[in-house]
Amino acid sequence: MKLDLVNSFLSWRMKKRYHQLELFMKYPHEVQAEVLQNLLGTAAQTEWGKRYDFKSIGSNEEFRDRIPLHRYEDIEPEVQRIREGANNVMWPGDIRWFAKSSGTTNAKSKFLPVSNEHIEDCHFKGGKDLLSIYCNLYPETTIFSGMNLRLGGSTFVDNEEINSYYGDVSAIIIENLPFWVEMRSTPSNKISLMQEWEAKIEAMSTTSMREDVTSLAGVPSWMMVLLERVLDISGKKHIIDVWPNLELYMHGGVSFAPYRSQFKELIGKDINYLETYNASEGFFGIQDQKESEDMLLMLDYGIYYEFIPMDQFDGTNSKTIGLEEVKLNTNYAVVISTNAGLWRYLIGDTIRFSSISPYRFRISGRTKHFINVFGEELIIENAESALTATCNELGARIHEYTAAPIFMQRKESGAHQWLIEFDQEPKSLEEFAKLLDQKLCALNSDYEAKRHKGMALKPLEVISARKGLFYDWLKQKGKLGGQNKVPRLSNSREHIEELLALQT
């Protein structure tokens, strides 16, 4: 009875917020204009505010004209100063949290500032809105009568002198959750934030099995590892036999398409799924419809959006447009200014709008080639650097290559498969694959994490392509010459399967 009352009260509270969501759906441009002016006003006395004279910026157009576009490489020196204790640089006050992420060309990891306002008004608000949307979609939910099993990363001391920390954004959120959320979550913070993943999965599995879990939250690749371990320990055939009241999985970080059927098989019945777009740079979108996987662009989280049509993309020299100018089914690079002090920042993702009233979208890819099926965020710069170093050490030369994921299959981890046409083959393909794997781990912390003890990613596989394979493939597709290129990294197996079919 007590749990029924808790569920009813929390469901009612969450549904109330939905009216505010409807407000920004109805007045999106006005809300975004207000967000920008609030950001500029709040940061006016910071170093950046004075440098660009935020106080005198009176329009969206003036904002775009005065402040250049930035990538992480451009702001890294400023971020490093903040990590060393400088304050009022890009955002007022002290920054004591940094979201660690891969994807930069000149360092193994990015460290993105996370202000208190960003935690509270962006990430926490996103979590509450996710539940609000769910309660609106499923009014009879009993999700709050049980526990939420959250699977996140870990946090680490960044600078002991100033008491600052870094970690996955999921871990930063867990570390700062209010007590009433912590009461409905499993496992405890101590277990959730463990740094050794194998021990963490073991502790999470044994602890959560004793709870009445009604919802799951986490990246699909790691969640599969956790659920498989729960089944191993419990001896049950399906997750629904362990948690009979499970009704929702909240996921994000990588495409869910390759995992959907496997989750259905693991769980043992149909449950509800909601996708989120919660990145290191901010909480951007939530799936808000039963019948569609499109996500609603969240416009009142202290994030101001700009967009670059990808057919006009020229890095930091690109011209941006505002939300009011976007069109349907066009590929856009996303630019953000945030309440964590990122100003006109290129996040590297691309989206396509499927609706403009309200603004709904799907993630369409990256501004660069990448593989991010397991949360590894492997970008082309990582691949090229690792291949170059491996070839130099082993005396090999590469003519063409492509790489794609091998998707997880129940208890079998995923992997990356590389199809390489060599001009000069290494003496040992096995040695080449092993060294390439090591180089990628050294260059990319997210890839390294997923490779840890082979829990999410097995060692990569290298296949030696016959001479002329890539030429024949391009010729077959009528793409010889001009700007046609072999796709280096892909989230799907379409290209590599076509090439393998031509291998013999």
Side-chain angles (χ1 to χ4, degrees):
M1 183 66 179
K2 185 178 179 181
L3 289 178
D4 289 341
L5 289 173
V6 170
N7 184 75
S8 297
F9 174 72
L10 290 176
S11 297
W12 171 76
R13 285 292 302 270
M14 292 303 166
K15 289 171 189 173
K16 284 189 68 176
R17 162 63 182 163
Y18 197 79
H19 298 301
Q20 293 172 276
L21 300 182
E22 291 175 324
L23 185 66
F24 79 64
M25 290 187 216
K26 190 174 181 180
Y27 303 105
H29 308 142
E30 292 84 349
V31 168
Q32 275 286 278
E34 183 179 353
V35 166
L36 178 58
Q37 289 306 311
N38 286 340
L39 291 174
L40 293 171
T42 303
Q45 297 305 314
T46 63
E47 290 182 21
W48 278 48
K50 294 174 181 177
R51 180 186 306 170
Y52 296 109
D53 194 12
F54 283 1
K55 286 193 298 184
S56 69
I57 295 177
S59 68
N60 301 350
E61 292 75 18
E62 200 170 354
F63 174 68
R64 294 172 202 159
D65 290 341
R66 190 175 303 180
I67 302 172
L69 292 172
H70 298 96
R71 283 183 165 140
Y72 184 76
E73 292 82 357
D74 304 314
I75 66 170
E76 186 180 20
E78 306 278 46
V79 173
Q80 186 58 38
R81 287 179 55 219
I82 299 170
R83 291 177 67 195
E84 292 169 358
N87 56 25
N88 295 314
V89 179
M90 303 161 74
W91 190 254
D94 300 326
I95 303 289
R96 292 294 178 259
W97 289 97
F98 298 88
K100 182 183 176 185
S101 174
S102 294
T104 177
T105 57
N106 62 352
K108 185 174 179 179
S109 300
K110 296 183 287 190
F111 292 86
L112 296 156
V114 181
S115 66
N116 290 333
E117 293 91 339
H118 196 59
I119 293 173
E120 187 68 36
D121 298 331
C122 182
H123 291 293
F124 282 179
K125 199 172 184 179
K128 287 184 281 188
D129 285 353
L130 173 60
L131 294 173
S132 175
I133 286 170
Y134 184 72
C135 290
N136 186 71
L137 291 175
Y138 301 94
E140 303 306 315
T141 179
T142 58
I143 191 174
F144 299 111
S145 64
M147 305 292 277
N148 169 246
L149 172 59
R150 75 275 176 93
L151 177 57
S154 305
T155 58
F156 305 83
V157 174
D158 189 45
N159 189 325
E160 196 166 1
E161 290 183 12
I162 62 172
N163 197 34
S164 65
Y165 304 86
Y166 71 85
D168 296 339
V169 70
S170 59
I172 293 173
I173 295 169
I174 291 172
E175 188 85 69
N176 289 278
L177 282 172
F179 77 93
W180 63 271
V181 177
E182 180 65 21
M183 288 173 58
R184 308 309 305 160
S185 303
T186 188
S188 65
N189 274 16
K190 183 178 179 180
I191 293 175
S192 294
L193 298 170
M194 288 173 65
Q195 296 175 4
E196 209 294 308
W197 269 96
E198 192 169 46
K200 179 180 193 168
I201 291 293
E202 196 71 15
M204 289 189 72
S205 301
T206 54
T207 302
S208 62
M209 280 172 50
R210 299 190 290 266
E211 302 285 356
D212 178 19
V213 173
T214 54
S215 63
L216 309 171
V219 176
S221 51
W222 279 114
M223 187 60 73
M224 275 191 67
V225 172
L226 175 62
L227 297 184
E228 289 282 10
R229 187 58 186 146
V230 168
L231 291 181
D232 286 342
I233 296 172
S234 67
K236 303 293 186 182
K237 184 177 181 181
H238 297 113
I239 289 297
I240 204 66
D241 299 324
V242 181
W243 300 314
N245 297 314
L246 180 65
E247 64 171 274
L248 171 65
Y249 175 33
M250 299 166 278
H251 60 88
V254 298
S255 171
F256 190 58
Y259 299 100
R260 185 174 291 277
S261 61
Q262 296 177 68
F263 267 87
K264 183 176 181 180
E265 183 182 348
L266 266 174
I267 292 169
K269 77 163 191 176
D270 288 323
I271 64 169
N272 301 319
Y273 299 91
L274 281 186
E275 183 171 4
T276 68
Y277 184 10
N278 188 12
S280 299
E281 300 88 349
F283 201 126
F284 304 134
I286 301 172
Q287 179 186 343
D288 70 321
Q289 302 171 100
K290 290 182 181 180
E291 68 279 4
S292 172
E293 295 176 10
D294 297 344
M295 287 181 279
L296 181 69
L297 187 65
M298 311 309 287
L299 301 177
D300 64 347
Y301 286 6
I303 299 174
Y304 176 72
Y305 293 96
E306 300 172 67
F307 304 93
I308 305 168
M310 280 306 292
D311 60 1
Q312 302 170 31
F313 185 80
D314 187 23
T316 53
N317 296 315
S318 305
K319 296 293 184 183
T320 66
I321 61 174
L323 187 64
E324 66 280 0
E325 298 178 74
V326 300
K327 298 177 181 178
L328 297 177
N329 303 315
T330 300
N331 209 22
Y332 292 106
V334 182
V335 177
I336 59 171
S337 298
T338 77
N339 50 8
L342 297 179
W343 297 102
R344 305 201 74 222
Y345 182 82
L346 277 158
I347 64 174
D349 289 341
T350 61
I351 67 173
R352 289 178 182 267
F353 285 97
S354 55
S355 166
I356 56 175
S357 183
Y359 287 96
R360 293 193 180 99
F361 69 95
R362 289 198 181 194
I363 301 169
S364 54
R366 297 280 289 176
T367 56
K368 303 175 183 179
H369 293 294
F370 75 114
I371 302 178
N372 189 32
V373 170
F374 310 98
E376 67 275 47
E377 296 185 26
L378 182 67
I379 60 173
I380 192 67
E381 285 85 354
N382 299 150
E384 299 282 11
S385 297
L387 283 170
T388 298
T390 303
C391 285
N392 288 342
E393 287 192 32
L394 300 181
R397 289 199 310 272
I398 291 175
H399 180 70
E400 289 281 11
Y401 75 93
T402 191
I406 300 173
F407 295 111
M408 285 179 165
Q409 296 295 328
R410 287 301 301 265
K411 296 185 178 182
E412 190 173 346
S413 299
H416 287 183
Q417 186 176 62
W418 295 69
L419 181 60
I420 303 176
E421 183 179 336
F422 291 94
D423 282 331
Q424 182 172 317
E425 287 211 17
K427 291 181 180 179
S428 167
L429 206 60
E430 183 178 342
E431 183 183 11
F432 185 94
K434 184 177 180 180
L435 185 58
L436 177 59
D437 196 56
Q438 292 171 356
K439 297 295 185 184
L440 290 172
C441 285
L443 286 166
N444 184 309
S445 58
D446 284 332
Y447 181 87
E448 181 183 43
K450 304 307 178 289
R451 280 285 294 113
H452 180 66
K453 297 189 177 181
M455 294 178 71
L457 276 176
K458 296 183 296 186
L460 63 82
E461 174 185 333
V462 175
I463 299 173
S464 178
R466 64 170 175 79
K467 298 291 184 182
L469 175 64
F470 289 90
Y471 180 94
D472 292 345
W473 179 73
L474 287 170
K475 183 178 180 180
Q476 184 186 73
K477 300 180 78 66
K479 291 186 175 181
L480 288 177
Q483 296 298 310
N484 297 303
K485 299 176 183 177
V486 173
R488 297 303 194 195
L489 306 178
S490 175
N491 265 345
S492 76
R493 291 190 54 80
E494 178 185 355
H495 299 124
I496 203 166
E497 292 289 359
E498 290 177 352
L499 283 157
L500 288 171
L502 287 175
Q503 173 80 326
T504 55

